[in-house]
Amino acid sequence: MTTSHAHPLLHRVAEAAGRESVRFTLNGAPASALAGDTVLTAVLTQGAQLRRNEFSGLPRAGFCMMGACQDCWIATGEGERLRACSTFIAPGMALVTGKSGA
């Protein structure tokens, strides 16, 4: 299931059998990922950005992929911030990328 985002940045090319689907919302729209995906993977298989830069407003999609660069922060629907590269997706999670019109 995809959201109204433009083309996803990440595409699955191989998959381990038996991983369950995890449903979550992205910018208020239903989305799904696979159990064991990080929030970063879950979001970028749905759309092309993780968040917008606080200063320039330009789209961001993570950088170091190990929780050191501060570039993968994403907001939850409740306003909590988490690191998308080191947080696993959970059922019912509500995520907000900051993309207008999404």
Side-chain angles (χ1 to χ4, degrees):
M1 181 179 298
T2 60
T3 66
S4 61
H5 292 274
H7 304 285
L9 187 62
L10 300 179
H11 300 276
R12 294 185 191 277
V13 295
E15 196 52 56
R19 288 177 52 187
E20 293 183 24
S21 179
V22 176
R23 297 187 186 281
F24 67 102
T25 61
L26 183 58
N27 298 320
S32 65
L34 295 177
D37 281 352
T38 62
V39 168
L40 184 69
T41 299
V43 171
L44 295 181
T45 56
Q46 304 295 312
Q49 74 178 46
L50 182 66
R51 64 179 189 89
R52 290 204 171 268
N53 180 279
E54 298 86 357
F55 305 105
S56 68
L58 294 173
R60 303 298 298 164
F63 183 72
C64 75
M65 307 306 168
M66 62 182 195
C69 73
Q70 308 293 318
D71 202 44
C72 70
W73 288 107
I74 188 169
T76 66
E78 297 79 31
E80 176 188 8
R81 287 175 26 129
L82 51 87
R83 286 190 180 182
C85 73
S86 58
T87 303
F88 292 102
I89 194 73
M93 193 176 266
L95 302 169
V96 181
T97 65
K99 180 177 181 179
S100 60

Coordinates of all heavy atoms in Angstrom, one line a residue:
M1 N 0.9 -1.2 0.0 CA 0.0 0.0 0.0 C 0.9 1.2 0.0 O 1.8 1.3 0.7 CB -0.9 0.0 1.3 CG -1.8 1.1 1.4 SD -2.9 1.0 2.8 CE -3.7 -0.5 2.5
T2 N 0.6 2.2 -0.8 CA 1.4 3.4 -0.9 C 0.6 4.6 -0.5 O -0.6 4.5 -0.4 CB 1.9 3.6 -2.3 OG1 0.8 3.8 -3.2 CG2 2.8 2.5 -2.7
T3 N 1.3 5.7 -0.2 CA 0.6 6.9 0.2 C 0.6 7.8 -1.0 O 1.0 7.5 -2.1 CB 1.3 7.6 1.3 OG1 2.6 8.0 0.9 CG2 1.4 6.7 2.5
S4 N 0.2 9.1 -0.9 CA 0.1 10.0 -2.0 C 1.5 10.6 -2.3 O 1.6 11.5 -3.1 CB -0.9 11.1 -1.6 OG -0.4 11.8 -0.5
H5 N 2.5 10.1 -1.7 CA 3.9 10.6 -2.0 C 4.3 10.3 -3.5 O 3.7 9.5 -4.1 CB 4.9 9.9 -1.1 CG 4.8 10.3 0.3 ND1 5.4 11.4 0.8 CD2 4.1 9.7 1.3 CE1 5.1 11.5 2.1 NE2 4.3 10.5 2.4
A6 N 5.2 11.1 -4.0 CA 5.8 10.8 -5.3 C 6.5 9.5 -5.2 O 6.3 8.7 -4.3 CB 6.8 11.9 -5.6
H7 N 7.3 9.2 -6.2 CA 7.9 7.9 -6.3 C 8.8 7.6 -5.1 O 9.5 8.4 -4.6 CB 8.8 7.9 -7.5 CG 8.1 8.2 -8.8 ND1 7.2 7.3 -9.4 CD2 8.0 9.3 -9.5 CE1 6.7 7.9 -10.4 NE2 7.1 9.1 -10.5
P8 N 8.6 6.3 -4.5 CA 9.5 5.9 -3.4 C 11.0 6.0 -3.7 O 11.4 5.7 -4.8 CB 9.0 4.5 -3.1 CG 7.7 4.4 -3.8 CD 7.7 5.3 -4.9
L9 N 11.7 6.4 -2.7 CA 13.2 6.4 -2.9 C 13.8 5.0 -2.8 O 14.8 4.8 -3.5 CB 13.8 7.3 -1.8 CG 15.2 7.6 -1.9 CD1 15.5 8.4 -3.1 CD2 15.7 8.5 -0.7
L10 N 13.3 4.2 -2.0 CA 13.8 2.8 -1.9 C 12.8 1.8 -2.5 O 11.6 1.9 -2.3 CB 14.0 2.4 -0.4 CG 15.0 3.3 0.4 CD1 15.0 2.8 1.8 CD2 16.3 3.3 -0.2
H11 N 13.3 0.8 -3.1 CA 12.5 -0.3 -3.7 C 13.1 -1.6 -3.2 O 14.3 -1.8 -3.3 CB 12.6 -0.2 -5.2 CG 12.0 1.0 -5.8 ND1 10.7 1.3 -6.0 CD2 12.7 2.2 -6.1 CE1 10.5 2.5 -6.5 NE2 11.7 3.1 -6.6
R12 N 12.2 -2.5 -2.8 CA 12.6 -3.8 -2.4 C 13.0 -4.7 -3.6 O 12.2 -4.8 -4.5 CB 11.6 -4.5 -1.6 CG 11.3 -3.8 -0.3 CD 10.2 -4.6 0.5 NE 9.8 -3.8 1.7 CZ 10.4 -3.7 2.8 NH1 11.5 -4.4 3.0 NH2 9.9 -3.0 3.8
V13 N 14.2 -5.3 -3.6 CA 14.6 -6.1 -4.7 C 14.7 -7.6 -4.2 O 14.7 -8.5 -5.1 CB 15.9 -5.7 -5.3 CG1 15.7 -4.3 -6.0 CG2 17.0 -5.7 -4.3
A14 N 14.7 -7.8 -3.0 CA 14.8 -9.2 -2.4 C 14.1 -9.2 -1.0 O 14.1 -8.1 -0.4 CB 16.2 -9.7 -2.3
E15 N 13.6 -10.3 -0.6 CA 12.9 -10.2 0.7 C 13.1 -11.6 1.4 O 13.0 -12.6 0.7 CB 11.4 -9.9 0.5 CG 10.7 -9.5 1.7 CD 11.5 -8.4 2.4 OE1 11.7 -7.3 1.8 OE2 11.8 -8.6 3.6
A16 N 13.2 -11.5 2.7 CA 13.2 -12.7 3.5 C 11.8 -13.2 3.6 O 10.9 -12.4 3.9 CB 13.8 -12.4 4.9
A17 N 11.6 -14.5 3.4 CA 10.2 -15.0 3.5 C 9.7 -15.0 5.0 O 10.5 -15.1 5.9 CB 10.2 -16.5 3.0
G18 N 8.4 -14.8 5.1 CA 7.8 -15.0 6.4 C 7.8 -13.7 7.2 O 7.4 -13.7 8.4
R19 N 8.2 -12.6 6.7 CA 8.1 -11.3 7.5 C 6.6 -10.8 7.4 O 6.1 -10.7 6.4 CB 9.0 -10.3 7.0 CG 10.5 -10.7 7.3 CD 11.5 -9.7 6.7 NE 11.2 -8.3 7.1 CZ 11.9 -7.3 6.5 NH1 12.9 -7.5 5.7 NH2 11.6 -6.1 6.9
E20 N 6.1 -10.5 8.6 CA 4.7 -10.0 8.6 C 4.6 -8.6 8.2 O 5.5 -7.8 8.4 CB 4.2 -10.1 10.1 CG 4.0 -11.6 10.5 CD 3.4 -11.7 11.9 OE1 2.8 -10.7 12.3 OE2 3.7 -12.7 12.6
S21 N 3.4 -8.2 7.7 CA 3.2 -6.8 7.4 C 2.9 -6.0 8.6 O 2.2 -6.5 9.5 CB 2.0 -6.8 6.4 OG 1.7 -5.4 6.1
V22 N 3.4 -4.8 8.7 CA 3.1 -3.9 9.8 C 2.4 -2.7 9.3 O 3.0 -2.0 8.4 CB 4.5 -3.5 10.5 CG1 4.2 -2.5 11.6 CG2 5.2 -4.7 11.0
R23 N 1.2 -2.4 9.8 CA 0.5 -1.2 9.3 C 0.8 0.0 10.2 O 0.9 -0.1 11.4 CB -1.0 -1.5 9.3 CG -1.4 -2.6 8.4 CD -2.9 -2.8 8.3 NE -3.2 -4.0 7.5 CZ -3.2 -4.0 6.1 NH1 -2.9 -2.9 5.5 NH2 -3.5 -5.1 5.5
F24 N 0.9 1.1 9.5 CA 1.2 2.4 10.2 C 0.6 3.5 9.4 O 0.0 3.2 8.3 CB 2.7 2.6 10.5 CG 3.5 2.8 9.2 CD1 3.9 4.1 8.8 CD2 3.9 1.7 8.4 CE1 4.7 4.3 7.7 CE2 4.7 1.9 7.3 CZ 5.1 3.2 6.9
T25 N 0.6 4.7 9.9 CA 0.2 5.8 9.1 C 1.3 6.8 8.8 O 2.2 7.0 9.6 CB -1.0 6.6 9.7 OG1 -0.6 7.2 10.9 CG2 -2.2 5.8 9.9
L26 N 1.3 7.3 7.6 CA 2.3 8.3 7.2 C 1.6 9.5 6.7 O 0.8 9.5 5.7 CB 3.2 7.7 6.1 CG 4.3 8.5 5.5 CD1 5.3 8.8 6.6 CD2 5.1 7.7 4.4
N27 N 1.8 10.6 7.4 CA 1.1 11.9 7.1 C -0.4 11.7 7.0 O -1.1 12.2 6.2 CB 1.6 12.4 5.7 CG 3.1 12.8 5.8 OD1 3.5 13.3 6.8 ND2 3.8 12.5 4.8
G28 N -0.9 10.8 7.9 CA -2.4 10.6 8.0 C -2.9 9.5 7.1 O -4.1 9.1 7.2
A29 N -2.1 9.0 6.1 CA -2.5 8.0 5.2 C -2.1 6.6 5.6 O -1.0 6.5 6.1 CB -2.0 8.4 3.8
P30 N -2.9 5.6 5.3 CA -2.5 4.3 5.7 C -1.3 3.8 4.9 O -1.1 4.2 3.7 CB -3.7 3.4 5.4 CG -4.5 4.2 4.5 CD -4.2 5.7 4.7
A31 N -0.4 3.1 5.5 CA 0.8 2.6 4.9 C 1.2 1.3 5.5 O 0.7 0.9 6.6 CB 2.0 3.6 5.0
S32 N 2.1 0.5 4.9 CA 2.5 -0.7 5.5 C 4.0 -0.9 5.2 O 4.6 -0.4 4.2 CB 1.7 -1.9 5.0 OG 1.9 -2.1 3.6
A33 N 4.6 -1.7 6.1 CA 6.1 -2.0 6.0 C 6.2 -3.5 6.4 O 5.2 -4.2 6.5 CB 6.9 -1.2 7.0
L34 N 7.4 -4.0 6.6 CA 7.6 -5.3 7.0 C 8.2 -5.4 8.4 O 9.0 -4.5 8.7 CB 8.5 -6.1 6.0 CG 7.9 -6.3 4.6 CD1 8.9 -7.0 3.7 CD2 6.6 -7.0 4.6
A35 N 7.8 -6.3 9.2 CA 8.3 -6.5 10.5 C 9.9 -6.5 10.4 O 10.4 -7.2 9.6 CB 7.8 -7.8 11.1
G36 N 10.5 -5.8 11.3 CA 12.0 -5.7 11.3 C 12.5 -4.5 10.5 O 13.7 -4.2 10.5
D37 N 11.6 -3.8 9.7 CA 12.1 -2.6 9.0 C 12.3 -1.5 10.0 O 11.6 -1.3 11.0 CB 11.0 -2.1 8.1 CG 10.9 -2.9 6.8 OD1 11.8 -3.7 6.5 OD2 9.9 -2.6 6.0
T38 N 13.3 -0.6 9.7 CA 13.4 0.6 10.5 C 12.4 1.6 10.0 O 11.8 1.4 8.9 CB 14.8 1.2 10.3 OG1 15.0 1.6 9.0 CG2 15.9 0.3 10.8
V39 N 12.2 2.6 10.8 CA 11.2 3.7 10.4 C 11.8 4.3 9.1 O 11.0 4.6 8.2 CB 11.1 4.7 11.5 CG1 10.4 6.0 11.0 CG2 10.3 4.1 12.7
L40 N 13.1 4.4 8.9 CA 13.7 5.0 7.7 C 13.3 4.2 6.5 O 12.8 4.7 5.5 CB 15.2 5.1 7.9 CG 15.9 5.7 6.7 CD1 15.6 7.2 6.6 CD2 17.4 5.5 6.9
T41 N 13.4 2.9 6.6 CA 13.1 2.0 5.5 C 11.6 2.0 5.2 O 11.2 2.1 4.1 CB 13.5 0.5 5.8 OG1 14.9 0.5 5.9 CG2 13.1 -0.4 4.7
A42 N 10.8 2.0 6.3 CA 9.3 2.0 6.1 C 8.9 3.3 5.4 O 8.1 3.2 4.5 CB 8.7 1.9 7.5
V43 N 9.4 4.4 5.8 CA 9.0 5.7 5.1 C 9.5 5.8 3.7 O 8.8 6.2 2.8 CB 9.5 6.9 6.0 CG1 9.3 8.2 5.3 CG2 8.8 6.9 7.3
L44 N 10.8 5.5 3.5 CA 11.4 5.6 2.1 C 10.9 4.6 1.1 O 11.1 4.8 -0.1 CB 12.9 5.7 2.2 CG 13.4 6.9 3.0 CD1 14.9 6.9 3.0 CD2 12.8 8.2 2.4
T45 N 10.3 3.5 1.6 CA 9.6 2.6 0.6 C 8.2 3.1 0.3 O 7.6 2.5 -0.6 CB 9.6 1.2 1.1 OG1 8.9 1.1 2.4 CG2 10.9 0.5 1.3
Q46 N 7.8 4.1 0.9 CA 6.5 4.8 0.6 C 6.6 6.1 -0.2 O 5.7 6.4 -0.9 CB 5.7 5.1 1.9 CG 5.5 3.9 2.8 CD 4.6 2.9 2.2 OE1 3.5 3.2 1.7 NE2 5.0 1.6 2.3
G47 N 7.7 6.8 0.1 CA 7.9 8.1 -0.6 C 9.3 8.5 -0.7 O 10.2 7.7 -0.4
A48 N 9.6 9.7 -1.2 CA 10.9 10.1 -1.5 C 11.6 10.9 -0.4 O 12.8 11.3 -0.7 CB 10.9 10.9 -2.8
Q49 N 11.0 11.2 0.7 CA 11.7 12.0 1.7 C 11.3 11.5 3.1 O 10.2 10.9 3.3 CB 11.4 13.5 1.6 CG 10.0 13.8 2.0 CD 9.7 15.3 1.9 OE1 10.0 15.9 0.9 NE2 9.1 15.9 3.0
L50 N 12.2 11.7 4.0 CA 11.9 11.4 5.4 C 11.4 12.6 6.2 O 10.5 12.5 7.0 CB 13.2 11.0 6.1 CG 13.2 10.5 7.5 CD1 12.3 9.3 7.7 CD2 14.6 10.3 8.1
R51 N 11.9 13.8 5.9 CA 11.5 15.0 6.5 C 12.0 16.2 5.7 O 12.6 16.0 4.7 CB 12.0 15.1 7.9 CG 13.5 15.2 8.0 CD 14.1 15.3 9.4 NE 15.5 15.6 9.3 CZ 16.0 16.8 9.3 NH1 15.3 17.9 9.3 NH2 17.3 17.0 9.3
R52 N 11.7 17.4 6.2 CA 12.2 18.6 5.6 C 13.2 19.3 6.6 O 13.0 19.2 7.8 CB 11.1 19.6 5.3 CG 10.2 19.1 4.1 CD 9.5 20.2 3.4 NE 8.9 19.8 2.2 CZ 9.5 19.8 1.0 NH1 10.7 20.2 0.9 NH2 8.9 19.3 0.0
N53 N 14.2 19.8 6.0 CA 15.3 20.5 6.8 C 14.6 21.7 7.5 O 13.9 22.5 6.9 CB 16.4 21.0 5.9 CG 17.5 21.7 6.6 OD1 17.4 22.9 6.9 ND2 18.5 21.0 6.9
E54 N 14.9 21.9 8.8 CA 14.4 23.0 9.6 C 14.7 24.3 9.1 O 14.0 25.3 9.3 CB 14.8 22.9 11.0 CG 14.4 21.6 11.7 CD 15.4 20.5 11.5 OE1 16.4 20.6 10.8 OE2 15.1 19.4 12.1
F55 N 15.9 24.5 8.4 CA 16.4 25.8 8.0 C 16.1 26.1 6.6 O 15.6 27.2 6.3 CB 17.9 25.9 8.3 CG 18.2 25.6 9.7 CD1 18.8 24.4 10.1 CD2 17.9 26.5 10.7 CE1 19.1 24.1 11.4 CE2 18.2 26.2 12.0 CZ 18.8 25.0 12.4
S56 N 16.3 25.2 5.7 CA 16.1 25.4 4.3 C 14.7 25.0 3.7 O 14.3 25.4 2.7 CB 17.2 24.8 3.5 OG 17.0 23.3 3.5
G57 N 14.1 24.0 4.4 CA 12.8 23.5 4.0 C 13.0 22.4 2.9 O 12.1 21.9 2.4
L58 N 14.3 22.1 2.6 CA 14.6 21.1 1.5 C 14.3 19.7 2.1 O 14.5 19.4 3.2 CB 16.0 21.2 1.0 CG 16.3 22.5 0.3 CD1 17.8 22.7 0.0 CD2 15.5 22.6 -1.0
P59 N 14.0 18.8 1.2 CA 13.7 17.4 1.6 C 15.0 16.7 2.1 O 16.1 16.9 1.5 CB 13.1 16.7 0.4 CG 13.5 17.5 -0.8 CD 13.7 18.9 -0.2
R60 N 14.9 15.8 3.1 CA 16.0 15.0 3.6 C 15.6 13.6 3.6 O 14.4 13.3 3.8 CB 16.4 15.5 5.0 CG 16.7 17.0 5.1 CD 17.9 17.4 4.3 NE 19.1 16.7 4.8 CZ 20.2 16.6 4.1 NH1 20.3 17.2 2.9 NH2 21.2 15.9 4.6
A61 N 16.6 12.7 3.5 CA 16.3 11.3 3.5 C 17.3 10.5 4.4 O 17.5 9.3 4.1 CB 16.3 10.7 2.1
G62 N 17.8 11.0 5.4 CA 18.8 10.3 6.2 C 20.2 10.5 5.6 O 20.3 11.0 4.4
F63 N 21.2 10.2 6.3 CA 22.6 10.4 5.8 C 23.5 9.3 6.2 O 24.0 8.5 5.4 CB 23.1 11.8 6.2 CG 24.5 12.1 5.7 CD1 24.7 12.4 4.4 CD2 25.6 12.1 6.5 CE1 25.9 12.7 3.9 CE2 26.8 12.4 6.1 CZ 27.0 12.7 4.7
C64 N 23.8 9.2 7.5 CA 24.9 8.2 8.0 C 24.3 6.8 8.2 O 25.1 5.9 8.1 CB 25.5 8.7 9.2 SG 24.5 8.5 10.7
M65 N 23.0 6.7 8.4 CA 22.4 5.4 8.6 C 22.8 4.7 9.9 O 22.7 3.4 10.0 CB 22.5 4.5 7.4 CG 22.1 5.1 6.1 SD 20.4 5.8 6.2 CE 20.4 6.7 4.7
M66 N 23.4 5.4 10.8 CA 23.8 4.7 12.1 C 23.6 5.6 13.3 O 24.1 5.3 14.4 CB 25.3 4.3 12.0 CG 26.3 5.5 11.9 SD 27.9 4.8 11.8 CE 28.8 6.3 12.1
G67 N 22.7 6.6 13.2 CA 22.3 7.4 14.3 C 23.3 8.4 14.8 O 23.2 8.9 15.9
A68 N 24.2 8.8 14.0 CA 25.3 9.7 14.5 C 25.1 11.1 13.9 O 25.6 12.1 14.5 CB 26.7 9.2 14.1
C69 N 24.4 11.3 12.8 CA 24.5 12.6 12.1 C 23.3 13.5 12.4 O 23.3 14.7 11.9 CB 24.5 12.3 10.5 SG 23.0 11.8 9.8
Q70 N 22.3 13.1 13.0 CA 21.1 13.9 13.4 C 20.2 14.2 12.2 O 19.4 15.1 12.2 CB 21.5 15.2 14.0 CG 22.5 15.1 15.2 CD 21.8 14.4 16.4 OE1 20.7 14.7 16.7 NE2 22.5 13.5 17.1
D71 N 20.4 13.5 11.0 CA 19.7 13.9 9.8 C 18.4 13.1 9.7 O 17.6 13.4 8.8 CB 20.6 13.7 8.6 CG 20.1 14.5 7.4 OD1 19.7 15.7 7.6 OD2 20.0 14.0 6.3
C72 N 18.2 12.0 10.5 CA 17.1 11.2 10.3 C 15.9 11.4 11.3 O 15.1 10.5 11.4 CB 17.5 9.7 10.3 SG 18.0 9.1 11.9
W73 N 16.0 12.5 12.0 CA 14.9 12.7 13.0 C 13.6 12.8 12.2 O 13.5 13.4 11.2 CB 15.1 14.0 13.7 CG 16.2 14.0 14.7 CD1 17.4 14.6 14.6 CD2 16.2 13.3 16.0 NE1 18.2 14.3 15.8 CE2 17.4 13.5 16.6 CE3 15.2 12.5 16.7 CZ2 17.8 13.0 17.9 CZ3 15.6 12.0 17.9 CH2 16.8 12.3 18.5
I74 N 12.5 12.2 12.8 CA 11.2 12.3 12.2 C 10.2 12.5 13.4 O 10.5 12.0 14.5 CB 10.9 11.0 11.3 CG1 9.5 11.2 10.6 CG2 10.9 9.8 12.2 CD1 9.3 10.1 9.5
A75 N 9.1 13.1 13.1 CA 8.1 13.3 14.1 C 7.0 12.2 14.1 O 6.7 11.7 13.0 CB 7.5 14.7 13.9
T76 N 6.5 11.9 15.2 CA 5.3 11.1 15.3 C 4.1 12.0 15.3 O 4.2 13.2 15.5 CB 5.3 10.2 16.6 OG1 5.2 11.1 17.7 CG2 6.6 9.4 16.7
G77 N 3.0 11.4 15.1 CA 1.7 12.1 15.2 C 1.5 12.8 16.5 O 0.8 13.8 16.6
E78 N 2.1 12.3 17.6 CA 1.9 12.8 18.9 C 3.0 13.9 19.2 O 3.0 14.5 20.3 CB 2.1 11.7 20.0 CG 1.0 10.6 19.9 CD 1.3 9.6 18.8 OE1 2.5 9.4 18.4 OE2 0.3 9.1 18.2
G79 N 3.9 14.2 18.2 CA 4.8 15.3 18.4 C 6.2 14.8 18.9 O 7.1 15.6 19.1
E80 N 6.3 13.5 19.2 CA 7.6 12.9 19.7 C 8.6 12.9 18.5 O 8.2 12.7 17.3 CB 7.4 11.5 20.2 CG 8.6 10.8 20.6 CD 8.4 9.3 21.0 OE1 7.3 8.8 20.7 OE2 9.3 8.7 21.4
R81 N 9.9 13.1 18.7 CA 10.9 13.0 17.7 C 11.6 11.7 17.9 O 11.9 11.3 19.1 CB 11.8 14.1 17.8 CG 11.2 15.4 17.3 CD 12.2 16.6 17.4 NE 13.6 16.3 17.4 CZ 14.5 16.9 16.7 NH1 14.2 17.8 15.8 NH2 15.8 16.5 16.8
L82 N 11.9 11.0 16.8 CA 12.7 9.8 17.0 C 13.7 9.6 15.8 O 13.5 10.3 14.8 CB 11.8 8.5 17.1 CG 10.7 8.3 16.0 CD1 11.2 7.6 14.8 CD2 9.6 7.6 16.7
R83 N 14.7 8.9 16.0 CA 15.7 8.6 14.9 C 15.2 7.5 14.0 O 15.1 6.3 14.5 CB 17.0 8.3 15.5 CG 17.7 9.5 16.0 CD 19.1 9.2 16.4 NE 19.7 10.4 16.9 CZ 21.0 10.5 17.2 NH1 21.8 9.4 17.1 NH2 21.5 11.6 17.7
A84 N 14.9 7.8 12.8 CA 14.3 6.8 11.9 C 15.3 5.7 11.5 O 14.8 4.6 11.2 CB 13.8 7.5 10.6
C85 N 16.6 6.0 11.5 CA 17.5 4.9 11.1 C 17.7 3.9 12.2 O 18.2 2.8 11.9 CB 18.8 5.5 10.7 SG 19.8 6.2 12.0
S86 N 17.4 4.2 13.4 CA 17.7 3.2 14.5 C 16.4 2.8 15.3 O 16.5 2.2 16.4 CB 18.8 3.7 15.4 OG 18.4 5.0 16.0
T87 N 15.3 3.2 14.8 CA 14.0 2.9 15.5 C 13.2 1.9 14.6 O 13.1 2.2 13.4 CB 13.1 4.1 15.7 OG1 13.9 5.1 16.5 CG2 11.8 3.8 16.4
F88 N 12.7 0.8 15.1 CA 12.0 -0.1 14.3 C 10.5 0.3 14.2 O 10.0 0.8 15.1 CB 12.1 -1.5 14.9 CG 13.5 -2.1 14.7 CD1 14.3 -2.1 15.8 CD2 13.9 -2.6 13.5 CE1 15.6 -2.6 15.7 CE2 15.2 -3.1 13.4 CZ 16.1 -3.1 14.5
I89 N 9.9 0.1 13.0 CA 8.5 0.4 12.8 C 7.7 -0.5 13.7 O 8.1 -1.6 14.0 CB 8.1 0.2 11.3 CG1 6.8 0.8 11.0 CG2 8.2 -1.3 10.9 CD1 6.8 2.3 11.0
A90 N 6.6 0.1 14.2 CA 5.7 -0.7 15.1 C 4.3 -0.5 14.6 O 3.9 0.5 14.0 CB 5.8 -0.1 16.6
P91 N 3.5 -1.5 14.9 CA 2.1 -1.5 14.4 C 1.4 -0.3 15.0 O 1.5 0.1 16.2 CB 1.5 -2.8 15.0 CG 2.6 -3.7 15.1 CD 3.8 -2.8 15.5
G92 N 0.6 0.5 14.1 CA -0.1 1.6 14.6 C 0.7 2.9 14.7 O 0.1 3.9 15.1
M93 N 2.0 2.9 14.5 CA 2.8 4.1 14.6 C 2.3 5.1 13.6 O 1.9 4.8 12.5 CB 4.2 3.7 14.2 CG 5.3 4.7 14.6 SD 6.9 4.1 14.3 CE 7.3 3.5 15.9
A94 N 2.2 6.4 14.0 CA 1.8 7.5 13.2 C 3.0 8.4 13.0 O 3.6 8.9 13.9 CB 0.7 8.3 13.9
L95 N 3.4 8.6 11.7 CA 4.6 9.3 11.4 C 4.2 10.5 10.5 O 3.3 10.4 9.7 CB 5.6 8.4 10.7 CG 6.0 7.2 11.4 CD1 6.8 6.2 10.5 CD2 6.8 7.6 12.6
V96 N 5.0 11.6 10.6 CA 4.8 12.8 9.9 C 6.1 13.3 9.3 O 7.1 13.5 10.0 CB 4.2 13.9 10.8 CG1 4.0 15.2 10.0 CG2 3.0 13.4 11.6
T97 N 6.1 13.4 7.9 CA 7.3 13.8 7.3 C 7.5 15.3 7.1 O 8.6 15.7 6.9 CB 7.4 13.2 5.8 OG1 6.4 13.8 5.0 CG2 7.3 11.7 5.8
G98 N 6.5 16.0 7.3 CA 6.5 17.5 7.1 C 6.4 17.9 5.7 O 6.5 19.0 5.4
K99 N 6.0 16.9 4.8 CA 5.8 17.3 3.4 C 4.4 17.8 3.3 O 3.4 17.2 3.6 CB 6.0 16.0 2.5 CG 5.7 16.3 1.1 CD 6.0 15.1 0.2 CE 5.7 15.4 -1.2 NZ 5.9 14.2 -2.1
S100 N 4.3 19.0 2.7 CA 3.0 19.6 2.6 C 2.3 18.9 1.4 O 2.9 18.5 0.5 CB 3.1 21.1 2.3 OG 3.9 21.3 1.1
G101 N 1.0 18.8 1.6 CA 0.2 18.2 0.5 C 0.2 16.7 0.5 O -0.3 16.0 -0.3
A102 N 0.9 16.1 1.5 CA 1.0 14.6 1.6 C -0.2 14.0 2.3 O -0.8 14.6 3.1 CB 2.3 14.2 2.2

